[in-house]
Structure formats: structure tokens, C-alpha cells
């Protein structure tokens, strides 16, 4: 499958993005709670709908994007993943439960963020627990992730890869983000299996993927039709058998649905439910593509 030219997508995105210093200043301003009430109303959750939860979020929660939350429906999500991959539900539940015991996702992570005022004192994985479970199920030799931000998802993926390696299944992670400072949550000891690329995915991934096959591809960067089509097309051009495609944006565009239709498979929509969080999380879409010939 040929990969369409995607340079205009990256350039258009770059033109519309403020300079990184401005973005950092805006993020700090938002963390001072000046815009959070408006965000709640835009999300369909007026403050009065749950007064104490809303006030706590506006006044004390530093997160303004890529929210972290505990999962209220772990067993339901594990059952759905088990159906996708034809596994016992108990096995998938066991993989998700690993995230609660993994020191790097709990004790060590809390130690690293202890003095960072712009970060919550505790960072539950939310939908990233599904990413972890998928990597534990598939045991891929290569995982590719677009969109890193602080690196909580990267950390979960690397912990899953480390567990796999302990069972004799080596694998590594390639992540791409336009911000060179992204991924600060990942400790040095886990970076031996990690290649973090600074730049737009469509600019930096083609060379990094030359001669490689992808087992799991997680699209969690810009969720526009053009960008998702470009990134998923890149993954398809380097597809392993199987290739698991994950849309972290919950199907905001039909890109993944179109790929599934073209290859005679279906995507599954997994809807996390948070434990007392003011924002409803995006769904996670998963598709398993088999026997794709790269060209």
C-alpha cells in the first residue's frame, strides 16, 4: 500500500500551532482555573450538575487535557478485549490488574511527580490500561505511538513490553511527538526499549520504520481526518500479521472505520467509565488487521 504525501498536513498543523513558549504559558494560565468552568459547560457538565466534584476539578485539578482517572468498568472492558482476541476474560483481567501492582506505574511514578505542582499527586492510567493490556496480549516486537505529551501512555506501554520480555517476548516502542520535551514521565531505566522521535509523525516515522513491521499502532496525536488517515496509512504500509490499530480519540473521524471496511474486518468501540471524574472520557477504538502486504 502506498503512503500518500502528508507533508501539507504537518505544515498546516504547524502553522496553526502557537509557539511552544506560548503553549506552555497558556497551559499554566489554564491550570490557574480561569477557563475550566467554561470547559465544563462546553462538555455538557455544568458545575451545578455535581457541585462538589466540579468545584474540586476547577480549583484543584491541574489537568486540562489527556485526563487521568480510575476505571469503573475494568471487568467489562476486559471482557470486550477478551472477545476481540479470543482469550479467557480472566487472563485479560489479570493483565489489567498488573497495572495496579507495577511499581513504575504506582510507587515509583508517585515518587517522580511528588514535587511537580503542575501534576496530580496520583496518575491512574484510565484508557491507557487498555493499551497496556493489548501489548501484553499481542506481545508485539514493535509498538508505535503517535502523541506522547507527558509520557504516561509511553510509560504504560514500556512496562508492558518489559513484562513481555521477562516472558521471552522482546519488543520495543517508537513514539513520535512534535514537542521534544514530551515523555518526561519515562524513567531512564525503561528507555532502552524506547525510541522517542521529536517532530511530526509523518516527517519522522517513515525513516524510523524502514524495513520494520508494526504489531501495535496507537494513534493519539491530532485527531483530524487528514492526520489520522496519514498516520493509519503509514501503519498499514508497515503492517505485521496481525496489526492492531488503536484510535485513542474514540472515532472522531471515520479513518479507522474506512480501513476496516477495506480489509473486511470490524472495529470495536470500548467505552471507559471513570470513577468520579468530571469529564466523560473518549472511547478507545480497536481493530485487528490480518495478512496485509506492505508495498
Amino acid at each position: 500500500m502506498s503512503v500518500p504525501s502528508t507533508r501539507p498536513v504537518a505544515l498546516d498543523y504547524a502553522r496553526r500551532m502557537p509557539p511552544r513558549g506560548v503553549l506552555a504559558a497558556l497551559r499554566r494560565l489554564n491550570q490557574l482555573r480561569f477557563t475550566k468552568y467554561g470547559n465544563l459547560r462546553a462538555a455538557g457538565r455544568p458545575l451545578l450538575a455535581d457541585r462538589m466534584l466540579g468545584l474540586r476539578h476547577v480549583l484543584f485539578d491541574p489537568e486540562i487535557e489527556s485526563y487521568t482517572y480510575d476505571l469503573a468498568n475494568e471487568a467489562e472492558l476486559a471482557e470486550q478485549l477478551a472477545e476481540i482476541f479470543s482469550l479467557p476474560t480472566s487472563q485479560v483481567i489479570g493483565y489489567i490488574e498488573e497495572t495496579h501492582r507495577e511499581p513504575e506505574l504506582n510507587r515509583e511514578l508517585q515518587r517522580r511527580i511528588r514535587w511537580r505542582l503542575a501534576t496530580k499527586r496520583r496518575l491512574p492510567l484510565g484508557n491507557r490500561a487498555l493499551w497496556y493490556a493489548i501489548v501484553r496480549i499481542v506481545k508485539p516486537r514493535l509498538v508505535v505511538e503517535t502523541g506522547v505529551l507527558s509520557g504516561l501512555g509511553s510509560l504504560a506501554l514500556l512496562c508492558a513490553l518489559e513484562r513481555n520480555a521477562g516472558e521471552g517476548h522482546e519488543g520495543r516502542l517508537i513514539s513520535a511527538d512534535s514537542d521534544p520535551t514530551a515523555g518526561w514521565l519515562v524513567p531512564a531505566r525503561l528507555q532502552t526499549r524506547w525510541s522517542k522521535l521529536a517532530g511530526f509523525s509523518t516527517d519522522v516515522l517513515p525513516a524510523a520504520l524502514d524495513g520494520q513491521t508494526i504489531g501495535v499502532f496507537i494513534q493519539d496525536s491530532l485527531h483530524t481526518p487528514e492526520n489520522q488517515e496519514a498516520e493509519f496509512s503509514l501503519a498499514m504500509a508497515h503492517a505485521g500479521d496481525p496489526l492492531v490499530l488503536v484510535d485513542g480519540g474514540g472515532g472522531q473521524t471515520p479513518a479507522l472505520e474506512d480501513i476496516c471496511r477495506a480489509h473486511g474486518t470490524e472495529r470495536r468501540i470500548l467505552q471507559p467509565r471513570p470513577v468520579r471524574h468530571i469529564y466523560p472520557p473518549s472511547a478507545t477504538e480497536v481493530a485487528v488487521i490480518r495478512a496485509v502486504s506492505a508495498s
Side-chain angles (χ1 to χ4, degrees), residues 139-161:
K139 296 178 172 50
R141 297 187 66 178
L142 178 61
V143 181
V144 176
E145 168 198 29
T146 62
V148 177
L149 202 60
S150 64
L152 184 59
S154 307
L155 178 61
L157 295 169
L158 288 165
C159 286
L161 289 170

Side-chain angles (χ1 to χ4, degrees), residues 107-124:
R107 182 184 66 249
E108 293 302 316
L109 177 58
Q110 291 178 20
R111 181 182 60 80
R112 289 197 299 278
I113 65 176
R114 184 179 304 161
W115 304 112
R116 289 183 176 266
L117 299 180
T119 304
K120 287 165 64 172
R121 298 303 87 201
R122 178 173 168 270
L123 295 176

Side-chain angles (χ1 to χ4, degrees), residues 25-286:
L26 289 173
R27 202 170 272 126
R28 287 192 293 270
L29 182 65
N30 285 334
Q31 287 168 345
L32 292 174
R33 327 315 178 217
F34 292 125
T35 64
K36 285 190 175 179
Y37 180 62
N39 289 344
L40 292 180
R41 293 185 65 87
R45 295 291 298 272
L47 198 61
L48 294 179
D50 189 333
R51 183 172 299 177
M52 292 307 298
L53 183 62
L55 282 172
R56 186 176 66 183
H57 176 78
V58 170
L59 295 176
F60 302 113
D61 192 331
E63 292 181 346
I64 59 171
E65 59 185 330
S66 193
Y67 300 108
T68 62
Y69 49 87
D70 288 300
L71 289 171
N73 61 333
E74 282 188 358
E76 173 189 336
L77 296 169
E79 183 176 358
Q80 292 174 319
L81 282 177
E83 290 176 1
I84 294 171
F85 294 101
S86 301
L87 291 174
T89 300
S90 59
Q91 182 177 343
V92 182
I93 289 176
Y95 289 147
I96 294 178
E97 288 181 346
E98 287 176 0
T99 66
H100 303 308
R101 302 189 301 271
E102 169 58 52
E104 288 292 355
L105 298 175
N106 295 278
R107 182 184 66 249
E108 293 302 316
L109 177 58
Q110 291 178 20
R111 181 182 60 80
R112 289 197 299 278
I113 65 176
R114 184 179 304 161
W115 304 112
R116 289 183 176 266
L117 299 180
T119 304
K120 287 165 64 172
R121 298 303 87 201
R122 178 173 168 270
L123 295 176
L125 293 181
N127 67 325
R128 301 167 188 86
L130 302 178
W131 304 0
Y132 177 99
I134 288 170
V135 170
R136 291 288 284 131
I137 291 167
V138 178
K139 296 178 172 50
R141 297 187 66 178
L142 178 61
V143 181
V144 176
E145 168 198 29
T146 62
V148 177
L149 202 60
S150 64
L152 184 59
S154 307
L155 178 61
L157 295 169
L158 288 165
C159 286
L161 289 170
E162 183 177 57
R163 289 257 187 173
N164 288 349
E167 297 171 358
H169 302 279
E170 278 291 346
R172 62 191 183 92
L173 170 66
I174 297 177
S175 303
D177 195 290
S178 60
D179 183 354
T181 68
W184 59 268
L185 280 176
V186 178
R189 82 164 194 87
L190 289 177
Q191 294 183 19
T192 56
R193 291 187 175 88
W194 191 31
S195 299
K196 189 188 73 169
L197 308 178
F200 295 105
S201 59
T202 49
D203 291 337
V204 299
L205 279 177
L209 294 176
D210 186 35
Q212 306 289 325
T213 56
I214 303 171
V216 175
F217 184 87
I218 297 173
Q219 202 283 329
D220 202 35
S221 61
L222 188 65
H223 300 300
T224 64
E226 298 82 6
N227 192 61
Q228 285 202 319
E229 181 181 348
E231 291 188 347
F232 282 135
S233 294
L234 183 60
M236 294 294 291
H238 296 272
D241 187 11
L243 167 65
V244 179
L245 298 175
V246 179
D247 179 359
Q252 296 180 35
T253 84
L256 186 55
E257 182 179 9
D258 291 344
I259 289 173
C260 290
R261 186 182 300 111
H263 291 275
T265 188
E266 294 183 358
R267 77 199 196 287
R268 293 289 298 271
I269 302 173
L270 284 66
Q271 182 61 65
R273 291 201 310 271
V275 176
R276 289 188 61 76
H277 195 283
I278 202 69
Y279 284 103
S282 297
T284 297
E285 293 197 336
V286 180

